[in-house]
Amino acid sequence: MSSDEGKKDPIKTDDPETETPKFTQADLDRCIKERLDKAERVHKKELSEMESKHKTELERLNMDAESRAKAEAEDERNALIKRAEEAENALRLTRAEKELTNAGLPPELASILLNGSKDDKELVNAVKALSDASQERGNRIYADKVGGRGVPPAPTSTDSDPLRSEMRKAAGLE
């Protein structure tokens, strides 16, 4: 009995359900482990939040009415502050996306830039620096492609072509 006799060849059909698997068992195990780990982290976070809330409620039960009212007012104040900060961050994200779009850059970079900037002025400067850096990189790539001749100079005057000059005057551009 040869070693090939014990192995069965998979049946080849056009049915997608009977085709050979595209994932190995190791791939499936890794995927399942990642999902279980993620679910465990979520549940641990929820559990710690519930324990904290339970502890706070127990402390409140032992307080007198005035202290309880003060603590509840402080909690409401903190919740309002948190909502205001979230709204401000959403507004800054929108502004950042607008600045990036105006600079011709992908708006998805906004969240990355916001993590490093403290205010809108820093954000605008970061967008400008990113735009300048990408323009410089584009110029270098262009120079490499055209054999080191560099970026072609921008036209300095339209006087070299009299027809163009007349057209610009007629359009009110000169």
Side-chain angles (χ1 to χ4, degrees), residues 2-66:
S2 70
S3 62
D4 289 337
E5 289 178 20
K7 296 180 183 176
K8 293 184 179 179
D9 289 333
I11 300 171
K12 305 254 183 199
T13 65
D14 292 332
D15 185 13
E17 292 183 20
T18 60
E19 288 183 6
T20 57
K22 297 186 190 275
F23 297 102
T24 64
Q25 186 63 40
D27 291 337
L28 293 172
D29 290 344
R30 181 181 42 80
C31 183
I32 291 170
K33 183 179 179 340
E34 287 173 0
R35 289 185 183 196
L36 287 174
D37 289 345
K38 181 180 178 182
E40 185 178 358
R41 285 191 305 270
V42 168
H43 290 299
K44 281 184 180 182
K45 182 180 177 185
E46 289 175 353
L47 181 63
S48 67
E49 288 173 357
M50 290 174 69
E51 287 174 345
S52 174
K53 188 175 182 179
H54 180 70
K55 182 179 174 185
T56 303
E57 290 297 321
L58 285 176
E59 290 173 356
R60 296 247 168 97
L61 288 174
N62 295 330
M63 293 181 179
D64 62 350
E66 184 179 336

Side-chain angles (χ1 to χ4, degrees), residues 71-91:
E72 288 173 358
E74 183 67 24
D75 285 349
E76 284 184 39
R77 180 179 174 274
N78 290 339
L80 289 173
I81 289 172
K82 183 178 178 182
R83 284 183 54 204
E85 288 173 353
E86 289 171 355
E88 186 175 328
N89 287 340
L91 182 62

Side-chain angles (χ1 to χ4, degrees), residues 3 7 10 30-31 69-70 77 80 85 94 97 99 114 116-117 119 124 130-132 138-139 154 173:
S3 62
K7 296 180 183 176
R30 181 181 42 80
C31 183
K70 284 181 182 178
R77 180 179 174 274
L80 289 173
E85 288 173 353
T94 303
E97 289 172 346
E99 288 291 329
L114 281 177
S117 63
D119 59 16
V124 170
L130 183 60
S131 177
D132 292 345
N139 290 344
L173 297 174

Side-chain angles (χ1 to χ4, degrees), residues 155-169 174:
T156 56
S157 173
T158 58
D159 294 336
S160 62
D161 186 5
L163 180 61
R164 178 177 276 172
S165 179
E166 290 298 317
M167 289 173 51
R168 290 183 59 82
K169 284 180 186 176
E174 285 187 3

